Amino acid sequence: MSTRSADRGDGIRVAVSTVILTLRREGTAAPRIALPLVRRTRDPHEDAWALPGGWLDPTEGLTAAAARTLAETTGLAPSWLEQLYAFGAVDRSPSRVISVVYWALLREEDAVDAVGSDPENVAWFDAEQLPALAFDHARIIEYALWRLRNKVGYSRVAQGFLPPEFTLADLREAYETILGRRLDPANFRRQVDATRTLIPTNAFRTGSHRPARLYRDATDVELADRGPLSPEETSTEETRIP
Amino acid sequence: MSTRSADRGDGIRVAVSTVILTLRREGTAAPRIALPLVRRTRDPHEDAWALPGGWLDPTEGLTAAAARTLAETTGLAPSWLEQLYAFGAVDRSPSRVISVVYWALLREEDAVDAVGSDPENVAWFDAEQLPALAFDHARIIEYALWRLRNKVGYSRVAQGFLPPEFTLADLREAYETILGRRLDPANFRRQVDATRTLIPTNAFRTGSHRPARLYRDATDVELADRGPLSPEETSTEETRIP
DNA sequence: ACAAAAGTGTTAATGCTACACCCATGG
DNA sequence: CCATGGGTGTAGCATTAACACTTTTGT
């Protein structure tokens, strides 16, 4: 088709990066969204903070590369992983780099003391108080957060922050953190059970006051997570790993 | 970050393809979605039909590459252009290729007798009656159509099929074709004018019966076309070119 | 007993859908 | 004057939002 530059399409490198999101709670305050960043050890942007990622290995699928760098950074497997966007402006890096960016969710309790292969250069930041970032990564994170806020309205993503069994208050708190506003507990309850995506268990969380019933995900219910089947590897492209 | 394969990320080629959609009408029947495909002139999949596209030039942005191949195929500029997805499964081609795929809309009247630089190997097909396609392109087109159907519900994309001035019946017909079902004219009218995105002109389309008022796009009204600013080149990443 | 979270009920407002109806034009 | 699409009105139904109220526990 193209008749340019010897029809080869090289001279371009492909990187895969991932915006890894989790919920962090400090004491009894409302939880906040946190994400790990990696300090760069070479130019360009040496010493600046950047998204975890790396060059794509020719034998590795895009999603696999995202999962791998995620594991290297945090030592964990995500509960949600989805492609965000391919960034490829000519001037976003000194050399020509296409970054295929994914976003992922981690379960809160998993992330607490997770350690990757290079803990020295990894640090977690509050998503609202980020340091100066390398390349166009600040904008990428903004976009990932927008996508999360958007998707929470018509999918079960929020459960990616929670353990397999959780109370409605847990789920509501996750929604409230993502959306940045309070939700009415009564209406929230009715709305989620109208979707028929939660199965009540016979267990309760006891503690401070009246015990709260625990729920688990109804994995068989199809929701608008994507609509058509995943465009790439159907098994791993965009899934909630239970 | 990655410690694999000499940290270079090459041995991989980047292609850009575009799903180009337009409305076609045969006589007085309801219009249908049509798209151009290109007959491949080399292996792999020689002689099969494929999406227009080509290798990414190192000096060219992703969006610019999509617009270029679109112009080469049809001789036209799109009225809507947006990234769809980056496909990169290892086995989708004999060699390792990452395809960054865009989807575009063309105005109906523009597309009627548009001719690109190689009209011999380009043909238009009904989106519901596609031939056998090369690579994973059938699935990609399915996904593009899903995205269009989805996006029509909360954005002004449908206007990408129409000229700058159009009647509500024109717009409704575009919606009906995209969604594949009839819409109530009365309710459609109220719904679109509730969005405040259309400006009535003083012109009318006369013809068969009672003249219909012409409307144009209210370009100043912000809708949920994307939410945050476009993640890449703000000027061209996802825009309706008026 | 009391505080506080879990969970239920009720009502007003809003939006959506269906469909009856009038208007303006070409034939 | 009639057929047809343009355009308005309106009643019924479903969904949402706000908030009063009851239940169940720990202290």
Side-chain angles (χ1 to χ4, degrees):
Chain A
M1 271 61 18
S2 165
T3 54
R4 292 196 182 193
S5 67
D7 260 3
R8 297 203 328 283
D10 54 17
I12 300 171
R13 288 180 300 170
V14 178
V16 176
S17 300
T18 307
V19 182
I20 303 167
L21 303 172
T22 194
L23 248 40
R24 284 249 152 146
R25 62 183 69 240
E26 308 281 344
T28 60
R32 306 187 49 89
I33 295 176
L35 58 118
L37 296 174
V38 176
R39 193 193 294 279
R40 287 184 58 81
T41 56
R42 66 188 65 181
D43 266 333
H45 297 279
E46 183 167 356
D47 291 329
W49 294 99
L51 291 172
W55 301 118
L56 177 63
D57 186 286
T59 65
E60 197 177 30
L62 291 173
T63 309
R68 173 177 58 80
T69 57
L70 192 153
E72 288 172 359
T73 307
T74 66
L76 295 171
S79 50
W80 185 277
L81 182 60
E82 175 185 333
Q83 192 182 108
L84 181 66
Y85 200 81
F87 295 86
V90 175
D91 58 356
R92 60 187 295 277
S93 172
S95 65
R96 189 67 199 281
V97 176
I98 307 298
S99 283
V100 181
V101 180
Y102 281 73
W103 64 284
L105 301 188
L106 290 182
R107 299 211 167 94
E108 189 177 0
E109 77 280 21
D110 291 349
V112 169
D113 43 16
V115 173
S117 55
D118 182 16
E120 289 292 312
N121 288 307
V122 174
W124 290 75
F125 293 88
D126 186 310
E128 305 299 325
Q129 295 175 18
L130 293 174
L133 288 165
F135 306 110
D136 48 3
H137 289 189
R139 177 190 246 177
I140 292 175
I141 292 171
E142 258 324 297
Y143 183 44
L145 291 169
W146 174 83
R147 187 100 136 226
L148 171 62
R149 284 191 293 268
N150 201 257
K151 200 139 196 167
V152 84
Y154 61 92
S155 81
R156 306 193 296 264
V157 257
Q159 294 176 38
F161 282 143
L162 300 178
E165 300 207 336
F166 49 86
T167 67
L168 288 178
D170 293 338
L171 186 59
R172 178 167 49 85
E173 191 181 49
Y175 271 80
E176 289 176 342
T177 306
I178 292 167
L179 295 173
R181 63 191 168 87
R182 312 288 298 188
L183 300 173
D184 182 300
N187 296 331
F188 183 79
R189 164 183 301 275
R190 276 184 290 255
Q191 279 160 14
V192 309
D193 87 24
T195 66
R196 318 288 284 128
T197 58
L198 290 191
I199 294 179
T201 71
N202 290 322
F204 289 79
R205 171 171 311 154
T206 175
S208 48
H209 299 291
R210 173 172 175 176
R213 186 180 292 275
L214 291 169
Y215 292 80
R216 61 183 171 80
D217 191 41
T219 43
D220 55 325
V221 177
E222 185 82 17
L223 211 89
D225 278 341
R226 165 62 70 89
L229 289 181
S230 164
E232 197 179 350
E233 305 91 343
T234 312
S235 54
T236 52
E237 187 58 34
E238 170 183 353
T239 10
R240 191 174 172 285
I241 295 98
Chain B
M1 274 51 34
S2 166
T3 54
R4 291 196 183 194
S5 69
D7 261 5
R8 300 202 324 284
D10 52 16
I12 300 170
R13 291 179 297 171
V14 179
V16 175
S17 300
T18 307
V19 182
I20 304 167
L21 303 172
T22 194
L23 249 39
R24 282 249 155 145
R25 62 183 71 241
E26 307 281 342
T28 60
R32 307 187 48 92
I33 295 176
L35 57 118
L37 296 173
V38 176
R39 193 193 293 277
R40 287 184 59 80
T41 57
R42 67 188 65 181
D43 266 331
H45 297 279
E46 182 166 358
D47 291 329
W49 294 100
L51 291 172
W55 302 115
L56 178 63
D57 187 287
T59 64
E60 195 178 31
L62 290 172
T63 308
R68 173 177 58 80
T69 56
L70 192 153
E72 288 172 0
T73 306
T74 66
L76 296 169
S79 50
W80 185 277
L81 183 59
E82 177 184 334
Q83 193 184 108
L84 181 66
Y85 200 80
F87 296 85
V90 175
D91 59 356
R92 59 187 295 278
S93 173
S95 65
R96 188 67 199 280
V97 176
I98 306 298
S99 283
V100 181
V101 179
Y102 281 73
W103 64 285
L105 301 188
L106 291 183
R107 300 211 167 93
E108 190 177 358
E109 76 281 16
D110 290 352
V112 171
D113 43 15
V115 173
S117 54
D118 183 15
E120 290 293 314
N121 288 306
V122 175
W124 290 75
F125 293 87
D126 187 309
E128 306 298 325
Q129 296 175 18
L130 294 174
L133 288 165
F135 306 108
D136 48 3
H137 289 189
R139 177 189 245 176
I140 293 175
I141 292 171
E142 256 326 294
Y143 183 43
L145 290 170
W146 174 82
R147 185 98 140 230
L148 172 61
R149 283 191 293 267
N150 199 257
K151 202 141 196 166
V152 83
Y154 61 91
S155 80
R156 304 194 297 264
V157 255
Q159 292 175 41
F161 281 142
L162 300 178
E165 301 208 334
F166 48 86
T167 67
L168 288 178
D170 293 337
L171 185 60
R172 179 167 48 85
E173 191 181 48
Y175 272 79
E176 289 176 340
T177 305
I178 293 167
L179 297 174
R181 61 190 169 89
R182 311 287 300 187
L183 300 174
D184 183 302
N187 296 331
F188 182 81
R189 164 183 301 274
R190 275 183 292 254
Q191 279 160 13
V192 310
D193 87 25
T195 66
R196 318 289 283 126
T197 58
L198 291 190
I199 296 180
T201 70
N202 291 322
F204 290 79
R205 170 168 318 150
T206 174
S208 47
H209 297 291
R210 175 175 172 176
R213 186 180 292 274
L214 291 168
Y215 291 81
R216 59 185 173 80
D217 191 41
T219 43
D220 55 327
V221 176
E222 186 80 17
L223 210 87
D225 277 343
R226 166 61 68 91
L229 289 181
S230 165
E232 198 179 349
E233 306 91 343
T234 312
S235 53
T236 51
E237 189 57 34
E238 172 183 355
T239 9
R240 193 173 172 287
I241 297 97

